[in-house]
Amino acid sequence: METDLLIVGAGIAGASLAAAVAAERMTVLVEAEDMPGRHATGRSAAFYDESYGGPGIQPLTTAAGPMLRSPGEEMGGHSFLRPRGGLIIARNGDEALLDAMVADFAGTPVSLDPVSGACLSTMLPGLLPGWSSALAQPQCEDIDVAALHHANLALARRRGATLLTRSPFTGAVRRSDGRWQVQSGSLSLTASVIVNAAGAWADQVAGLAGAAPMGITPYRRTMVQLRLGRETPASLPLVIDARGEFYFKGEGVGRIWLSPHDETADFPHDVAAEEHDIALAIHRFQQVVDWPIAAVERRWAGLRSFAPDRLPVLGFAPDMPGFFWCAGQGGFGIQTAPSAALLAASLLLTRDPDPRISTIDATIYSPSRFA
């Protein structure tokens, strides 16, 4: 099989980039699993939060907002976002953490509104003593991850892309004519460019193609679904700790999704939640509100992959012609997918950037920053 672009990985990164380029270049996605999105994408409790990931990620998130909120007819025409609201809460004595966050996003479109006293107790009934202040994020929204992923895959297919599942990337050699000879599962393919969108496996894929790794490390993130002994408010916001030790959000009546905000360095594999992390999540939650826990109904974990500076890696490898990085999206890969795909597409196809992302400085995400 021959193609122009071979995208390794059909999670949200590979799927959204395929949708952005398939109309202009013959594109094949190869996916190791029997269905796309089984790992980081399919296990995400994603939300749209313009402050999440810090100032280096904010331009991508802000640019993605309109595309998530009002996608074109080709993407189904229905918003991938649902109203939620966010609340970053601080313990007594941690007010400086909130002040620093406000300072970090000064001059940006990010809304961080101070909340304290009775207003805080109204937004989060049952709040225990010791939590004195917060920042409200009215623009925080839930993302329908499955719908977004499926819409990108469907658009890529309509634009001519081919998806090959059960086809793990096992090696590639750059031929004398400048094309790649690729082995993926039982298939032998040739391609002009290999796009590394392999998530936690990104450095492994680079090594199999002879490219230098970027130091992309997968970190385990744990989630649990709790059934509570009381009903939670229908308007419950996403609640995040200013220290970064937990977050939780409502998931139907009397249920929440909770994470201890863990980041444990791991290796690429089908990761599972560990009992210690589940117990830690519950312990931290019980220091915040007086809500009784009736049962742990579900538990799971996913791998979030970061480059050393925690920014995405988007662009051609400086050491290997025809090898393109689209990796290191960490925990913000869903909320930045539309804008990151457009930015990567402009670099991959060497064309002017789409007006929706034209003010974003692509150089800060370039693989060359690690050269």
Side-chain angles (χ1 to χ4, degrees), residues 205-328:
V205 165
L208 290 169
M214 290 286 133
I216 293 177
T217 303
Y219 294 87
R220 187 174 67 247
R221 171 60 53 87
T222 304
M223 295 294 300
V224 295
Q225 178 174 300
L226 301 180
R227 177 164 53 84
L228 304 173
R230 58 158 288 174
E231 290 189 8
T232 49
S235 59
L236 181 68
L238 168 71
V239 180
I240 303 174
D241 171 38
R243 292 184 187 175
E245 294 185 351
F246 63 81
Y247 60 84
F248 60 88
K249 66 175 185 174
E251 184 65 19
V253 177
R255 287 175 171 81
I256 64 164
W257 280 6
L258 166 70
S259 173
H261 214 278
D262 51 330
E263 285 193 353
T264 306
D266 213 321
F267 66 96
H269 71 296
D270 189 9
V271 69
E274 298 193 1
E275 291 300 327
H276 170 270
D277 296 321
I278 295 168
L280 181 62
I282 292 172
H283 171 72
R284 291 176 176 175
F285 175 73
Q286 290 175 323
Q287 313 308 307
V288 183
V289 288
D290 64 1
W291 304 346
I293 298 171
V296 176
E297 293 189 322
R298 291 178 57 205
R299 62 193 72 194
W300 68 98
L303 293 176
R304 301 143 44 86
S305 303
F306 289 96
D309 61 2
R310 301 181 73 84
L311 295 179
V313 184
L314 304 173
F316 281 100
D319 65 308
M320 180 61 70
F323 190 86
F324 187 93
W325 286 87
C326 182

Side-chain angles (χ1 to χ4, degrees), residues 87-90 98 112-117 120 123 131-136:
L87 196 61
I88 304 169
I89 62 175
L98 301 182
L112 295 168
D113 305 327
V115 180
S116 60
L120 181 55
M123 296 179 72
W131 300 88
S132 60
S133 54
L135 296 173

Side-chain angles (χ1 to χ4, degrees), residues 141-227:
E141 299 175 80
D142 288 337
I143 304 175
D144 189 336
V145 180
L148 177 64
H149 187 217
H150 293 160
N152 275 292
L153 288 172
L155 179 56
R157 289 192 189 98
R158 290 198 301 274
R159 288 178 169 176
T162 300
L163 171 64
L164 303 174
T165 57
R166 300 185 182 89
S167 301
F169 182 91
T170 54
V173 176
R174 193 159 172 82
R175 306 186 318 197
S176 59
D177 63 359
R179 289 179 63 78
W180 289 97
Q181 189 68 45
V182 178
Q183 193 67 32
S184 195
S186 61
L187 300 173
S188 181
L189 307 97
T190 62
S192 299
V193 176
I194 293 174
V195 177
N196 185 0
W201 285 261
D203 269 5
Q204 189 177 100
V205 165
L208 290 169
M214 290 286 133
I216 293 177
T217 303
Y219 294 87
R220 187 174 67 247
R221 171 60 53 87
T222 304
M223 295 294 300
V224 295
Q225 178 174 300
L226 301 180
R227 177 164 53 84

Side-chain angles (χ1 to χ4, degrees), residues 22-111:
E24 299 175 59
R25 297 287 191 277
M26 186 182 299
T27 302
V28 172
L29 294 101
V30 292
E31 168 59 48
E33 303 293 347
D34 57 356
M35 60 182 294
R38 279 195 58 188
H39 295 288
T41 298
R43 304 178 191 195
S44 174
F47 42 83
Y48 178 82
D49 173 359
E50 286 182 278
S51 70
Y52 188 61
I57 303 302
Q58 175 268 317
L60 287 170
T61 305
T62 298
M67 291 181 268
L68 292 168
R69 197 169 291 112
S70 301
E73 289 301 320
E74 286 189 311
M75 288 286 285
H78 301 288
S79 178
F80 297 110
L81 301 181
R82 297 187 298 268
R84 164 72 67 177
L87 196 61
I88 304 169
I89 62 175
R91 299 165 179 81
N92 294 343
D94 279 354
E95 293 82 3
L97 295 176
L98 301 182
D99 294 338
M101 183 171 290
V102 171
D104 281 345
F105 292 99
T108 74
V110 177
S111 296

